[in-house]
Amino acid sequence: MLKEITISRLVKSEDLNHHGTLFAGRMAEWLVEASFIAAARLAGRPEDVVCVQIHGMTFGKPAARGDLIEIRTNVAYLGGKSITVHAAVHANEDTAPAVSGMATFVTVDRGGKPYAHGLTLPDEYVERHRAIHEQARRIRSRA
Ligand SMILES: CC(C)(COP(=O)(O)OP(=O)(O)OC[C@H]1O[C@@H](n2cnc3c(N)ncnc32)[C@H](O)[C@@H]1OP(=O)(O)O)[C@@H](O)C(=O)NCCC(=O)NCCS
């Protein structure tokens, strides 16, 4: 299913670092989980999807206790056996993302061997998501 998936989170006391703002490790966990859900939904077989790389995650603005976080994920790029997902994190409905990053997943069989997922992105979808598609292509060519 190729549509933006949004996961919401509330920043709670146990999510904070020693500065009293959202801990990067917690944010990374949420971002990868949300990205996994996008990849698994598209693949249709969550049990076959594993994460192979988390690409440059940027923490642009801090989030605070009580903030409502939205993690918006979109599939950015498909390889033969891989799915790269872009995630943008918005706090309290800010238009500019506080955090962004990408994660790449691979489809594997029961023995953990990668297999071709046979998925493609329609041209119209790529056109609509041109910026993250190009970003993912650049990142993937360096992987
Ligand atoms: C994911 C895994 C099966 C890939 O194995 P592999 O032998 O590199 O597989 P392949 O060479 O067939 O590559 C499969 C795809 O992964 C991509 N890939 C492999 N290593 C990559 C990396 N470091 N970064 C991004 N993509 C990578 C390849 O480009 C290929 O994609 P493509 O078909 O779109 O070109 C293997 O690395 C693995 O089991 N990793 C552990 C996964 C895991 O446990 N994840 C949970 C995190 S704790």
Side-chain angles (χ1 to χ4, degrees):
M1 194 177 17
L2 263 178
K3 63 170 193 176
E4 180 169 276
I5 293 176
T6 300
I7 308 286
S8 299
R9 292 278 186 173
L10 168 67
V11 180
K12 302 192 289 304
S13 301
E14 61 264 35
D15 304 319
L16 305 182
N17 58 27
H18 55 293
H19 302 291
T21 57
L22 176 59
F23 176 51
R26 182 78 68 193
M27 187 63 254
E29 180 191 339
W30 292 349
L31 189 145
V32 172
E33 183 179 296
S35 301
F36 172 87
I37 291 169
R41 283 246 172 99
L42 182 65
R45 296 179 60 86
E47 66 277 21
D48 286 7
V49 175
V50 292
C51 183
V52 69
Q53 193 175 2
I54 302 165
H55 312 268
M57 204 175 289
T58 304
F59 300 91
K61 284 190 237 165
R65 188 176 55 187
D67 279 356
L68 296 175
I69 300 287
E70 263 192 7
I71 309 164
R72 302 177 193 163
T73 58
N74 285 283
V75 171
Y77 185 85
L78 292 179
K81 302 170 193 168
S82 68
I83 301 172
T84 299
V85 177
H86 177 266
V89 182
H90 296 256
N92 304 318
E93 301 186 347
D94 274 2
T95 46
V99 179
S100 62
M102 295 217 194
T104 295
F105 303 86
V106 176
T107 42
V108 296
D109 64 18
R110 282 175 157 209
K113 193 171 168 305
Y115 70 81
H117 48 59
L119 300 163
T120 53
L121 293 176
D123 291 345
E124 167 275 325
Y125 179 91
V126 172
E127 208 41 61
R128 234 175 341 112
H129 296 85
R130 175 64 58 197
I132 59 168
H133 183 72
E134 289 304 324
Q135 193 186 339
R137 257 164 43 96
R138 282 196 299 277
I139 284 171
R140 290 298 314 275
S141 67
R142 295 198 297 265

